[in-house]
Amino acid sequence: MIIQKTPDWEKLLHEEFAKPYFALLKKGVDEIYQHGLAFPAKEKMFRAFELCPPKDVRVVILGQDPYHTPGVADGLAFSTASLNPIPPSLRNIFKEIAEEYGVPIRTNPDLSDWAKQGVLLLNTSLTVDSGKANSHADIGWYEFTDAVVRTLSDQREHVVFMLWGNYAREKRVLIDRAKHLVLESPHPSPLSAYKGFFGNGHFRKANEYLRAHDRGEVSWY
């Protein structure tokens, strides 16, 4: 289960992998995949890390947990395969980008191009049971993703953290605001997008910050 394809993450998080809770997490996840249906596919569990080495991380976008409908989750927060319908929250993300930049609404829900530009698309839980949202919240993933956020904050500089919704915003206490930009808003889901996600300007603000610190820009569309 450990991120075997990403030696840089292995090195960065090696102390975390040695902790007792991670051994329990690994055992629990292995049992879940052996005896039940969970998402994403096990080989895609750490895909967010595989596509975005730690040295390349410029933006962290935190989701809650993977899509719990068969055939949707692809290992990247908010993303799904290009031939799939665009999930509602992602459609709202694309609407916000279109509004900020005056461009057509993006039609490709596969966000691997963002990941390859240094956007870590990280869910606070990396797995979920079929049909049961947030079902793996208490098996150890939160402790692990807390460590990821804290380590990036401590060991990297000038990263933009986009925290949408209450689950993501809880991690703001782990981030050094003197070194990084923290952007917070309601979640882009249809239930809350009109309560402050639309109009938050996060994508332009992220690129302005990255550009000001000589870290380039992310092509969002």
Side-chain angles (χ1 to χ4, degrees):
M1 187 178 113
I2 295 177
I3 319 174
Q4 296 174 347
K5 298 178 182 178
T6 57
D8 290 342
W9 283 109
E10 289 275 5
K11 182 177 180 181
L12 194 66
L13 299 170
H14 71 278
E15 292 184 0
E16 211 62 28
F17 294 137
K19 292 181 178 179
Y21 88 86
F22 194 85
L24 293 174
L25 172 61
K26 180 181 184 301
K27 180 180 179 181
V29 169
D30 286 344
E31 290 177 352
I32 286 167
Y33 276 85
Q34 286 174 9
H35 300 109
L37 186 60
F39 304 121
K42 194 173 183 181
E43 65 271 14
K44 293 184 178 180
M45 191 187 308
F46 289 109
R47 186 164 176 251
F49 299 93
E50 292 168 6
L51 294 183
C52 187
K55 65 180 178 59
D56 295 338
V57 174
R58 297 189 287 170
V59 178
V60 178
I61 296 179
L62 285 173
Q64 181 175 321
D65 57 354
Y67 298 118
H68 55 83
T69 303
V72 182
D74 68 357
L76 305 177
F78 296 104
S79 177
T80 190
S82 58
L83 296 179
N84 284 343
I86 301 175
S89 292
L90 184 57
R91 184 173 296 280
N92 287 338
I93 290 170
F94 288 168
K95 286 180 180 178
E96 174 60 26
I97 292 170
E99 183 66 24
E100 290 184 28
Y101 284 95
V103 297
I105 294 175
R106 175 172 164 146
T107 59
N108 182 6
D110 177 359
L111 302 183
S112 57
D113 61 306
W114 290 5
K116 293 173 183 177
Q117 293 180 76
V119 180
L120 182 65
L121 294 159
L122 181 67
N123 281 312
T124 52
S125 291
L126 299 192
T127 57
V128 69
D129 283 336
S130 178
K132 299 178 182 178
N134 212 28
S135 50
H136 294 181
D138 299 324
I139 67 171
W141 282 127
Y142 282 10
E143 191 167 353
F144 174 68
T145 52
D146 277 359
V148 173
V149 171
R150 187 186 306 108
T151 300
L152 287 172
S153 175
D154 292 346
Q155 300 198 24
R156 297 292 180 267
E157 293 187 356
H158 308 312
V159 173
V160 180
F161 291 85
M162 294 185 181
L163 310 182
W164 302 331
N166 292 334
Y167 284 97
R169 295 171 84 169
E170 287 177 356
K171 295 194 188 296
R172 61 181 175 261
V173 298
L174 306 172
I175 303 165
D176 184 350
R177 291 173 184 259
K179 296 170 59 181
H180 308 286
L181 176 64
V182 179
L183 300 173
E184 299 184 47
S185 83
H187 195 273
S189 79
L191 295 175
S192 56
Y194 287 96
K195 298 178 181 179
F197 177 80
F198 286 138
N200 64 20
H202 281 187
F203 300 95
R204 276 195 173 275
K205 290 175 183 177
N207 274 344
E208 289 168 0
Y209 178 85
L210 293 172
R211 188 169 59 248
H213 292 90
D214 297 319
R215 301 212 66 193
E217 294 187 359
V218 176
S219 177
W220 298 112
Y221 57 90

